[in-house]
Amino acid sequence: MARTKQFDPDAALQSALELFWRRGYEATSVADLVEHLGVGRASIYATFGSKHELYLKAMDRYAETRDPLLLTELSQPGPALPAVRAVVRRFAAEAASPQGRLNGCFVTNTAAELAPHDPAAARRVETSWEHVETLLHSALVRAQAQGELPEDREPRTLARMLLVLLQGVRIVGKASNDPARVRDAAEQALTLLD
């Protein structure tokens, strides 16, 4: 007869996400996970697989919780350009915040730490970036159709520029002691939408 799990796998996954997000993949050992999750090593392996598999599941959880927020922000009825501006400003504010400096963005952190040599992590990073770019592109197409964005602007190119800006803001915000650096960059980029 199989034993029942003595822990909540969903809560353990969330806890693992928080630890990986704060410390990164390489700096988090299985012993760290055991201590942080309060779950035995064998239970972690039986439930989630290897440390790497747990990390990938944590990335999936991050996407599940973050992506709906962005979709909601960028798909509201009415004018689209104010929503795009608000998203860019939110990213900049989060990046410059004390919590943003501590953790950064889980996807951006993974892109810097693992994507160059980990195909599974790189696929998840690319999927996340494609999702953000698609949401931005859709909002900018809508803005152009509603007369908010000049006809001579290319929504796809602008969406890509904003994606790169948002990722750069996350990196610079994590490492810089000057919050104005990311806010100024975000505001300058937004002038391209005028």
Short mmCIF file of all heavy atoms in Angstrom, two decimals, residues 71-96:
data_model
loop_
_atom_site.label_atom_id
_atom_site.label_comp_id
_atom_site.label_asym_id
_atom_site.label_seq_id
_atom_site.Cartn_x
_atom_site.Cartn_y
_atom_site.Cartn_z
N LEU A 71 -1.47 39.80 -19.18
CA LEU A 71 -2.58 39.68 -20.12
C LEU A 71 -3.72 40.61 -19.72
O LEU A 71 -4.27 41.33 -20.55
CB LEU A 71 -3.06 38.23 -20.19
CG LEU A 71 -4.31 37.97 -21.03
CD1 LEU A 71 -4.06 38.33 -22.49
CD2 LEU A 71 -4.75 36.53 -20.90
N THR A 72 -4.05 40.61 -18.44
CA THR A 72 -5.13 41.48 -17.95
C THR A 72 -4.81 42.95 -18.19
O THR A 72 -5.64 43.72 -18.66
CB THR A 72 -5.38 41.23 -16.45
OG1 THR A 72 -5.77 39.86 -16.28
CG2 THR A 72 -6.45 42.14 -15.90
N GLU A 73 -3.56 43.34 -17.88
CA GLU A 73 -3.17 44.74 -18.04
C GLU A 73 -3.23 45.20 -19.49
O GLU A 73 -3.65 46.32 -19.77
CB GLU A 73 -1.74 44.94 -17.53
CG GLU A 73 -1.60 44.87 -16.03
CD GLU A 73 -0.14 44.93 -15.60
OE1 GLU A 73 0.67 44.12 -16.10
OE2 GLU A 73 0.18 45.78 -14.75
N LEU A 74 -2.81 44.34 -20.41
CA LEU A 74 -2.69 44.76 -21.81
C LEU A 74 -3.92 44.48 -22.66
O LEU A 74 -3.95 44.88 -23.83
CB LEU A 74 -1.46 44.10 -22.44
CG LEU A 74 -0.12 44.60 -21.89
CD1 LEU A 74 1.04 43.79 -22.46
CD2 LEU A 74 0.07 46.09 -22.17
N SER A 75 -4.91 43.83 -22.12
CA SER A 75 -6.08 43.52 -22.95
C SER A 75 -7.36 44.17 -22.45
O SER A 75 -8.45 43.79 -22.86
CB SER A 75 -6.26 42.00 -23.04
OG SER A 75 -6.50 41.46 -21.75
N GLN A 76 -7.23 45.18 -21.61
CA GLN A 76 -8.41 45.91 -21.14
C GLN A 76 -9.07 46.63 -22.31
O GLN A 76 -8.38 47.12 -23.20
CB GLN A 76 -7.99 46.94 -20.09
CG GLN A 76 -7.44 46.35 -18.81
CD GLN A 76 -8.52 45.64 -18.01
OE1 GLN A 76 -9.66 46.09 -17.94
NE2 GLN A 76 -8.15 44.53 -17.42
N PRO A 77 -10.39 46.73 -22.31
CA PRO A 77 -11.05 47.50 -23.36
C PRO A 77 -10.69 48.99 -23.24
O PRO A 77 -10.29 49.45 -22.19
CB PRO A 77 -12.54 47.27 -23.10
CG PRO A 77 -12.66 46.62 -21.78
CD PRO A 77 -11.31 46.13 -21.36
N GLY A 78 -10.84 49.69 -24.35
CA GLY A 78 -10.54 51.12 -24.36
C GLY A 78 -9.16 51.39 -24.92
O GLY A 78 -8.58 50.55 -25.61
N PRO A 79 -8.62 52.57 -24.64
CA PRO A 79 -7.30 52.93 -25.16
C PRO A 79 -6.23 51.92 -24.73
O PRO A 79 -6.19 51.50 -23.58
CB PRO A 79 -7.03 54.31 -24.55
CG PRO A 79 -8.38 54.84 -24.18
CD PRO A 79 -9.21 53.63 -23.84
N ALA A 80 -5.38 51.55 -25.68
CA ALA A 80 -4.36 50.54 -25.42
C ALA A 80 -3.02 51.14 -25.00
O ALA A 80 -2.28 50.53 -24.22
CB ALA A 80 -4.17 49.67 -26.65
N LEU A 81 -2.68 52.30 -25.53
CA LEU A 81 -1.37 52.89 -25.26
C LEU A 81 -1.15 53.22 -23.77
O LEU A 81 -0.05 52.96 -23.26
CB LEU A 81 -1.16 54.13 -26.13
CG LEU A 81 0.23 54.31 -26.72
CD1 LEU A 81 0.82 53.05 -27.28
CD2 LEU A 81 0.20 55.40 -27.77
N PRO A 82 -2.14 53.71 -23.05
CA PRO A 82 -1.94 53.93 -21.61
C PRO A 82 -1.60 52.63 -20.87
O PRO A 82 -0.80 52.65 -19.93
CB PRO A 82 -3.26 54.52 -21.13
CG PRO A 82 -3.84 55.18 -22.35
CD PRO A 82 -3.43 54.29 -23.50
N ALA A 83 -2.17 51.52 -21.31
CA ALA A 83 -1.88 50.23 -20.68
C ALA A 83 -0.43 49.82 -20.95
O ALA A 83 0.26 49.33 -20.05
CB ALA A 83 -2.83 49.16 -21.18
N VAL A 84 0.04 50.03 -22.16
CA VAL A 84 1.44 49.71 -22.49
C VAL A 84 2.37 50.56 -21.64
O VAL A 84 3.34 50.05 -21.04
CB VAL A 84 1.72 49.90 -23.99
CG1 VAL A 84 3.21 49.76 -24.30
CG2 VAL A 84 0.90 48.92 -24.82
N ARG A 85 2.08 51.84 -21.57
CA ARG A 85 2.91 52.73 -20.75
C ARG A 85 2.90 52.29 -19.28
O ARG A 85 3.94 52.30 -18.60
CB ARG A 85 2.42 54.17 -20.87
CG ARG A 85 2.75 54.83 -22.18
CD ARG A 85 2.42 56.34 -22.14
NE ARG A 85 2.87 56.97 -23.34
CZ ARG A 85 2.09 57.22 -24.40
NH1 ARG A 85 0.81 56.90 -24.37
NH2 ARG A 85 2.59 57.80 -25.48
N ALA A 86 1.74 51.92 -18.78
CA ALA A 86 1.63 51.50 -17.38
C ALA A 86 2.44 50.23 -17.12
O ALA A 86 3.08 50.11 -16.07
CB ALA A 86 0.16 51.27 -17.02
N VAL A 87 2.45 49.32 -18.06
CA VAL A 87 3.23 48.09 -17.90
C VAL A 87 4.72 48.42 -17.85
O VAL A 87 5.46 47.93 -16.98
CB VAL A 87 2.92 47.09 -19.03
CG1 VAL A 87 3.99 46.00 -19.12
CG2 VAL A 87 1.55 46.46 -18.82
N VAL A 88 5.18 49.25 -18.76
CA VAL A 88 6.60 49.62 -18.78
C VAL A 88 6.98 50.31 -17.47
O VAL A 88 8.01 50.01 -16.86
CB VAL A 88 6.93 50.50 -20.00
CG1 VAL A 88 8.34 51.08 -19.91
CG2 VAL A 88 6.76 49.70 -21.30
N ARG A 89 6.14 51.20 -17.02
CA ARG A 89 6.42 51.91 -15.76
C ARG A 89 6.37 50.96 -14.56
O ARG A 89 7.15 51.10 -13.62
CB ARG A 89 5.45 53.07 -15.59
CG ARG A 89 5.75 54.21 -16.55
CD ARG A 89 4.78 55.36 -16.42
NE ARG A 89 5.17 56.44 -17.32
CZ ARG A 89 4.36 57.04 -18.19
NH1 ARG A 89 3.06 56.69 -18.26
NH2 ARG A 89 4.81 58.00 -18.98
N ARG A 90 5.46 50.00 -14.59
CA ARG A 90 5.39 49.00 -13.50
C ARG A 90 6.67 48.18 -13.45
O ARG A 90 7.25 47.96 -12.38
CB ARG A 90 4.17 48.09 -13.66
CG ARG A 90 4.12 47.00 -12.57
CD ARG A 90 2.88 46.15 -12.66
NE ARG A 90 2.75 45.37 -13.86
CZ ARG A 90 3.38 44.20 -14.09
NH1 ARG A 90 4.23 43.70 -13.21
NH2 ARG A 90 3.17 43.54 -15.22
N PHE A 91 7.12 47.71 -14.61
CA PHE A 91 8.36 46.93 -14.65
C PHE A 91 9.52 47.75 -14.09
O PHE A 91 10.34 47.24 -13.32
CB PHE A 91 8.67 46.49 -16.08
CG PHE A 91 8.09 45.16 -16.46
CD1 PHE A 91 6.73 44.96 -16.56
CD2 PHE A 91 8.92 44.10 -16.76
CE1 PHE A 91 6.20 43.74 -16.93
CE2 PHE A 91 8.41 42.86 -17.14
CZ PHE A 91 7.04 42.69 -17.22
N ALA A 92 9.61 49.01 -14.49
CA ALA A 92 10.69 49.87 -14.02
C ALA A 92 10.59 50.09 -12.51
O ALA A 92 11.61 50.01 -11.80
CB ALA A 92 10.69 51.21 -14.76
N ALA A 93 9.38 50.33 -12.01
CA ALA A 93 9.21 50.54 -10.57
C ALA A 93 9.55 49.28 -9.79
O ALA A 93 10.21 49.35 -8.74
CB ALA A 93 7.77 50.98 -10.27
N GLU A 94 9.11 48.13 -10.28
CA GLU A 94 9.43 46.87 -9.61
C GLU A 94 10.93 46.62 -9.61
O GLU A 94 11.50 46.19 -8.60
CB GLU A 94 8.73 45.69 -10.28
CG GLU A 94 7.25 45.63 -10.02
CD GLU A 94 6.55 44.52 -10.79
OE1 GLU A 94 7.23 43.79 -11.56
OE2 GLU A 94 5.33 44.37 -10.63
N ALA A 95 11.58 46.90 -10.74
CA ALA A 95 13.03 46.67 -10.85
C ALA A 95 13.81 47.56 -9.89
O ALA A 95 14.85 47.16 -9.37
CB ALA A 95 13.49 46.89 -12.28
N ALA A 96 13.32 48.76 -9.66
CA ALA A 96 14.01 49.72 -8.79
C ALA A 96 13.65 49.56 -7.32
O ALA A 96 14.28 50.18 -6.46
CB ALA A 96 13.71 51.15 -9.25
#
